[in-house]
Amino acid sequence: MALDLTARLPGTRAALEAGRIDVAKAREIASETSCLSDELARQAEEWILSKAPGLTRQQIERRLKAKVVSLDPVGAEERRKAAKRERRIKFSAGVNGVASIFGYDLPLERVAQAKAFIKEMSEHLKAGGDDRYLDEIEVDVFLDLLCGRHLDTNGMAVKVELVAPLDTWLNAATRAANAADSSPKRTEREEDTAGTEPADLKDFGPISEEVLADIIKAAEAGFEYCWTVTEDGVVVYHNRSAYRPTKKQREFVQARDRTCRHPGCERPAEKCEADHTFEHRNGGTTCACNLAMLCKRHHRAKHEGGWWWTRQDPGTMRAQSPLGHTYDVDPDPLPGNRIPQQADPNTGPKRQTVAAFITGSANPEDANRHSDAQLTPDDEPIPF
């Protein structure tokens, strides 16, 4: 039977007969390359066979999924769109008064978010003293969500993690930006995608540029995720796209700011709102260095009343009124006459950010208006 499975893959058949791989690995190679043309299937086969003897079947599966997307990106996207059109949910009654729910061919970016939320919410409840098994809690959270029951997240931050090569990320970002155009023109960057290495979505494996573009668009609509960009295997950028700060981030900013940061306002920070100094919708990050506490009145004045804020140093800010008057606003120092600060992200080796690549900015300070400077392990800030 295994020989029939590898009929168009002579190398796999020869490796099987020579005992270099077993039947399970041969079937995996045949299965993962079945969607490719004969020529591309043999390219994938040649690529994996040199590694296959030292890999598990699961490792072969993951590597081939990425290789298939890289060899045939257009076909991969066509297959994805066709599969999404077949998405469905099936309900099945089981024995002993239980039942099952199955979802087929669902959008990957939404499934990843749902899985992350259920996992984080369940662990949150477990840490709060819930005595059920974690699997039980996950099922009950899932059903509560389906039934419309409100779940108190208590400031819980949900994140989905992905890693993308720089070229793949830039291509996907271009696609996401052009998707807003009713008649987008394909750019040279979009056209040259063959052979581009896929990104990797934690717990789900390799994803194409198109899926990554969908994730970027979903993030703009509030989908929270952590992403890491690499170039030649080296991490060049890391960021978190969430809009809402975590509980620890908010507590740190409250301790640092102490009161509303508007000139002359003494409202306690605990009764204020966390505001993005550089707006999140324009690329501002959700980190302590880009957050400030503003009371509801002055938060509204910033967004609707013409006030403008700039950050001078970590913890210190400058406000500009609608009439052009400027005010330096420093929080009251804590005992020791110092303002609580995170580590300076500008220390250590300089690395260009993704924003700099996208905007073409040669000045790191200009790039940092859009996103944080890359941190090295030695100067990483307080972990939130």
Side-chain angles (χ1 to χ4, degrees), residues 258-296:
R258 320 220 28 212
T259 64
C260 171
R261 300 303 299 278
H262 191 87
C265 184
E266 296 292 329
R267 189 166 185 81
E270 292 77 10
K271 297 182 180 181
C272 296
E273 300 171 344
D275 172 68
H276 290 76
T277 305
F278 184 74
E279 293 185 359
H280 184 269
R281 63 184 178 182
N282 293 327
T285 56
T286 304
C287 61
C289 60
N290 191 45
L291 294 172
M293 304 308 297
L294 292 175
C295 68
K296 184 170 291 186

Side-chain angles (χ1 to χ4, degrees), residues 35-36 65 68-85 107-109 172 175 179 186 190 193 198 206-215 217:
C35 60
L36 297 174
K65 284 185 183 297
V68 165
V69 173
S70 177
L71 288 173
D72 185 23
V74 175
E77 176 61 9
E78 291 175 349
R79 291 188 293 272
R80 182 176 78 102
K81 289 180 178 179
K84 284 177 66 175
R85 287 193 291 268
L108 179 56
E109 64 277 6
R175 291 180 186 276
R186 293 182 62 82
E190 284 187 283
T193 60
I207 58 173
S208 66
E209 288 177 9
E210 288 81 5
V211 177
L212 181 56
D214 285 347
I215 290 176
K217 288 184 287 186

Side-chain angles (χ1 to χ4, degrees), residues 128-147:
D130 196 312
D131 59 0
R132 292 172 292 173
Y133 290 115
L134 189 59
D135 285 346
E136 292 180 287
I137 300 175
E138 289 182 347
V139 170
D140 291 342
V141 168
F142 171 66
L143 292 174
D144 284 344
L145 292 171
L146 286 180
C147 296

Side-chain angles (χ1 to χ4, degrees), residues 38-298:
D38 289 350
E39 179 183 354
L40 292 179
R42 290 193 181 99
Q43 290 183 34
E45 174 196 45
E46 181 180 358
W47 177 81
I48 197 64
L49 280 179
S50 61
K51 311 172 182 66
L55 300 176
T56 65
R57 185 194 63 78
Q58 292 80 6
Q59 289 173 326
I60 290 175
E61 177 188 7
R62 288 196 296 270
R63 284 162 171 74
L64 277 178
K65 284 185 183 297
K67 190 65 173 178
V68 165
V69 173
S70 177
L71 288 173
D72 185 23
V74 175
E77 176 61 9
E78 291 175 349
R79 291 188 293 272
R80 182 176 78 102
K81 289 180 178 179
K84 284 177 66 175
R85 287 193 291 268
E86 300 297 324
R87 63 186 183 273
R88 64 196 185 282
I89 296 176
K90 180 180 178 181
F91 301 86
S92 175
V95 296
N96 302 322
V98 296
S100 299
I101 301 174
F102 303 92
Y104 299 92
D105 297 324
L106 310 180
L108 179 56
E109 64 277 6
R110 300 185 66 183
V111 172
Q113 184 185 17
K115 178 179 179 179
F117 181 85
I118 291 172
K119 178 177 180 293
E120 292 286 345
M121 190 71 217
S122 300
E123 292 177 350
H124 174 72
L125 293 173
K126 187 70 175 178
D130 196 312
D131 59 0
R132 292 172 292 173
Y133 290 115
L134 189 59
D135 285 346
E136 292 180 287
I137 300 175
E138 289 182 347
V139 170
D140 291 342
V141 168
F142 171 66
L143 292 174
D144 284 344
L145 292 171
L146 286 180
C147 296
R149 179 183 172 187
H150 174 70
L151 296 173
D152 183 9
T153 62
N154 193 29
M156 181 190 72
V158 179
K159 65 178 182 181
V160 176
E161 298 182 16
L162 62 89
V163 180
L166 179 60
D167 285 345
T168 305
W169 178 268
L170 293 177
N171 288 344
T174 302
R175 291 180 186 276
N178 287 346
D181 190 342
S182 59
S183 56
K185 297 180 181 179
R186 293 182 62 82
T187 65
E188 180 181 349
R189 179 175 290 280
E190 284 187 283
E191 294 288 355
D192 187 19
T193 60
T196 303
E197 186 179 354
D200 186 85
L201 183 62
K202 186 177 180 181
D203 297 330
F204 291 91
I207 58 173
S208 66
E209 288 177 9
E210 288 81 5
V211 177
L212 181 56
D214 285 347
I215 290 176
I216 292 173
K217 288 184 287 186
E220 294 172 354
F223 172 38
E224 302 179 3
Y225 68 106
C226 267
W227 44 274
T228 302
V229 179
T230 63
E231 185 174 28
D232 298 329
V234 178
V235 174
V236 296
Y237 193 72
H238 178 79
N239 205 352
R240 174 174 174 263
S241 72
Y243 174 74
R244 294 185 179 277
T246 65
K247 182 180 179 181
K248 288 184 178 180
Q249 283 177 319
R250 183 179 175 87
E251 289 174 346
F252 175 81
V253 176
Q254 287 175 351
R256 183 196 67 198
D257 290 1
R258 320 220 28 212
T259 64
C260 171
R261 300 303 299 278
H262 191 87
C265 184
E266 296 292 329
R267 189 166 185 81
E270 292 77 10
K271 297 182 180 181
C272 296
E273 300 171 344
D275 172 68
H276 290 76
T277 305
F278 184 74
E279 293 185 359
H280 184 269
R281 63 184 178 182
N282 293 327
T285 56
T286 304
C287 61
C289 60
N290 191 45
L291 294 172
M293 304 308 297
L294 292 175
C295 68
K296 184 170 291 186
R297 175 187 175 188
H298 292 129

